[in-house]
């Protein structure tokens, strides 16, 4: 029998003031995107900003649908958009800003399982980790070093070859 510990160090910043200029800018792009979310059913607004190795930033927000499962989370909108508009360019970081329309979220909301799986594909494809920053309407920011850290024992293309 062997025991393995699968864990990571979560970095916690008290506010955006503790972030680097680049991360602060990326989070502000995520917040801006959040303002444009189409979320009439849940009232939960999410924005995601993807920083590429080229320096370009691609942003997206959640897009809901009267047929609920047809909607898509902000993270996947942003990452798929990055993949479509900037194919082959490495993703360095993703900032996520989330808040309810009525009740402001004061803690970071982590990406859902489907988004973790979708982003893992890009991390695995590029062979370099994607940093993830997340924040509520304001307050603390969580930083994760990679998507794999958020999805231990993840399923990827290597199982299919
Ligand atoms: N949502 C996201 O955009 N990202 C997440 O990681 C969690 C959930 C969206 C989906 C839906 O439009 C709303 O938030 C409520 O679940």
């Amino acid at each position: 029998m062997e025991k393995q510990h699968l864990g990571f160090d979560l970095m916690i910043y008290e506010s955006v003031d503790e972030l680097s200029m680049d991360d602060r800018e990326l989070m502000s792009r995520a917040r801006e995107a959040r303002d444009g979310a189409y979320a009439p059913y849940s009232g939960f607004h999410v924005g995601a900003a993807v920083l590429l190795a080229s320096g370009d930033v691609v942003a997206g927000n959640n897009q809901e649908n009267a047929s609920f499962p047809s909607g898509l989370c902000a993270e996947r909108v942003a990452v798929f958009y990055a993949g479509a508009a900037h194919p082959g360019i490495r993703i360095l970081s993703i900032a996520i800003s989330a808040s309810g329309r009525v009740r402001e979220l004061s803690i970071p909301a982590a990406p859902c399982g489907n988004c973790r799986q979708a982003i893992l594909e890009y991390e695995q494809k590029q062979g370099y980790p994607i940093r993830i920053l997340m924040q509520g309407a304001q307050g603390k920011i969580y930083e994760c070093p990679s998507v794999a850290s958020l999805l231990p024992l993840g399923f990827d293309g290597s199982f299919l070859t």
Side-chain angles (χ1 to χ4, degrees):
M1 202 278 272
E2 185 195 343
K3 191 157 95 175
Q4 268 188 29
H5 175 73
L6 304 175
F8 72 97
D9 289 330
L10 177 71
M11 305 298 287
I12 303 176
Y13 303 91
E14 278 308 307
S15 77
V16 287
D17 298 340
E18 292 183 4
L19 297 181
S20 69
M21 286 298 276
D22 286 353
D23 284 349
R24 207 180 305 181
E25 169 61 21
L26 195 64
M27 188 52 83
S28 108
R29 294 288 294 272
R31 203 173 307 121
E32 225 173 83
R34 192 188 85 206
D35 291 338
Y38 176 61
Y41 303 106
S42 72
F44 192 70
H45 294 205
V46 186
V50 175
L51 174 65
L52 301 171
S54 57
D56 290 305
V57 173
V58 168
N61 40 38
N62 51 331
Q63 298 293 319
E64 297 188 347
N65 191 279
S67 172
F68 293 177
S70 299
L72 201 60
C73 293
E75 294 88 331
R76 273 175 287 165
V77 169
V79 167
F80 291 162
Y81 177 22
H86 303 271
I89 309 296
R90 196 195 302 171
I91 297 174
L92 301 180
S93 309
I94 303 177
I96 302 162
S97 171
S99 186
R101 185 175 44 201
V102 178
R103 191 174 66 85
E104 280 211 342
L105 193 67
S106 56
I107 50 162
C112 77
N114 276 318
C115 287
R116 293 178 200 204
Q117 180 67 34
I119 309 169
L120 183 70
E121 181 80 20
Y122 293 85
E123 185 168 273
Q124 202 249 350
K125 178 160 79 93
Q126 69 183 26
Y128 286 93
I130 298 173
R131 285 167 68 236
I132 305 195
L133 295 160
M134 44 190 125
Q135 189 183 32
Q138 73 242 326
K140 284 191 199 320
I141 294 108
Y142 292 169
E143 179 190 335
C144 304
S146 64
V147 187
S149 63
L150 282 177
L151 195 60
L153 292 183
F155 181 79
D156 62 38
S158 64
F159 292 100
L160 302 177
T161 55

